[in-house]
Amino acid sequence: MDAIEKAAKTQLENIEQTTGKTIGEWGKIIKASGLEKHKEQVNFLKEQHGFSYGNANTVVHIANQSHAGAAENETDWIEAQYQGKENLKPWYEAIESMIDAFGNDVEKVPKKAYVSMRRKKQFAILQPSTKTRLDVGLNIKTKEPSGMAEKAGSWNTMCTHRIKVEDASALNEELKAWIKMAYEEAG
């Protein structure tokens, strides 16, 4: 079992232990709510059952079989993200290597459009936004954007900062420092 599988297993065990219900029972509760949209279901678990966002999001993905590891979902999300954007994949791999050097406590969660990097909470997303740009979204509460980091704004409301990687020269120490700051805040 790799680190991602172990972290996911621990999260699910903690949800079941804390709530007294199995993930399958939560899936039935979600279905019985009549809510169909992902966000509505997440809010339902948060507001009606006291879930954190992360736990609610995970349970909803499992209930809907929309998570990257779902049996019905055999898509390799990372490969799918870089289809037609293969030139950006080496940048993704370089950034992933930077993050791997911070520690072995990072959970990488591929989604349809991006890869979420998490510790206790999400600290970064890596998203091939166009054929020529890879966006690095960061969650940093302690420092205002400057230099290569700009305010994320409406680009992704789950991030405070965005760094646009448009050529290999952006894979530098400044980028690494910004990602490291987000990593440390998420610990």
Side-chain angles (χ1 to χ4, degrees), residues 12-27:
L12 297 177
E13 289 170 352
N14 288 340
I15 292 168
E16 290 180 349
Q17 185 177 40
T18 303
T19 65
K21 291 182 173 48
T22 67
I23 300 302
E25 289 170 323
W26 281 114

Side-chain angles (χ1 to χ4, degrees), residues 121-177:
K121 60 183 182 174
Q122 177 176 278
F123 66 89
I125 66 170
L126 307 179
Q127 176 177 311
S129 298
T130 71
K131 290 184 178 189
T132 59
R133 189 180 78 238
L134 175 69
D135 285 318
V136 179
L138 302 170
N139 288 317
I140 302 173
K141 307 257 189 269
T142 58
K143 186 170 177 166
E144 288 295 315
S146 64
M148 70 187 324
E150 62 185 39
K151 196 173 209 78
S154 62
W155 169 73
N156 186 308
T157 58
M158 294 185 65
C159 298
T160 58
H161 297 55
R162 172 170 70 166
I163 298 172
K164 296 177 180 177
V165 177
E166 297 177 297
D167 60 58
S169 69
L171 304 172
N172 58 32
E173 289 302 313
E174 182 183 358
L175 174 66
K176 185 177 181 178

Side-chain angles (χ1 to χ4, degrees), residues 9-176:
K9 183 177 184 288
T10 299
Q11 181 185 24
L12 297 177
E13 289 170 352
N14 288 340
I15 292 168
E16 290 180 349
Q17 185 177 40
T18 303
T19 65
K21 291 182 173 48
T22 67
I23 300 302
E25 289 170 323
W26 281 114
K28 290 176 185 173
I29 291 168
I30 292 167
K31 298 293 182 203
S33 74
L35 300 170
E36 294 184 20
K37 293 187 176 180
H38 180 88
K39 185 176 181 178
E40 293 172 337
Q41 293 171 345
V42 168
N43 288 338
F44 167 73
L45 290 178
K46 286 172 56 185
E47 295 164 8
Q48 301 297 316
H49 298 283
F51 274 66
S52 68
Y53 172 81
N55 286 345
N57 187 53
T58 297
V59 170
V60 169
H61 273 302
I62 291 171
N64 295 325
Q65 288 293 294
S66 60
H67 60 297
E72 292 83 7
N73 184 357
E74 295 178 5
T75 303
D76 181 338
W77 289 117
I78 296 173
E79 289 304 315
Q81 288 170 22
Y82 290 91
Q83 208 155 38
K85 303 173 187 176
E86 290 83 2
N87 56 309
L88 303 179
K89 185 86 181 290
W91 299 350
Y92 165 82
E93 291 167 348
I95 295 168
E96 184 181 40
S97 291
M98 281 181 197
I99 293 169
D100 287 343
F102 299 154
N104 62 357
D105 61 343
V106 175
E107 175 186 10
K108 298 168 189 163
V109 184
K111 310 284 185 169
K112 188 171 185 178
Y114 60 87
V115 176
S116 172
M117 300 291 182
R118 304 179 52 86
R119 286 180 86 192
K120 290 181 181 172
K121 60 183 182 174
Q122 177 176 278
F123 66 89
I125 66 170
L126 307 179
Q127 176 177 311
S129 298
T130 71
K131 290 184 178 189
T132 59
R133 189 180 78 238
L134 175 69
D135 285 318
V136 179
L138 302 170
N139 288 317
I140 302 173
K141 307 257 189 269
T142 58
K143 186 170 177 166
E144 288 295 315
S146 64
M148 70 187 324
E150 62 185 39
K151 196 173 209 78
S154 62
W155 169 73
N156 186 308
T157 58
M158 294 185 65
C159 298
T160 58
H161 297 55
R162 172 170 70 166
I163 298 172
K164 296 177 180 177
V165 177
E166 297 177 297
D167 60 58
S169 69
L171 304 172
N172 58 32
E173 289 302 313
E174 182 183 358
L175 174 66
K176 185 177 181 178

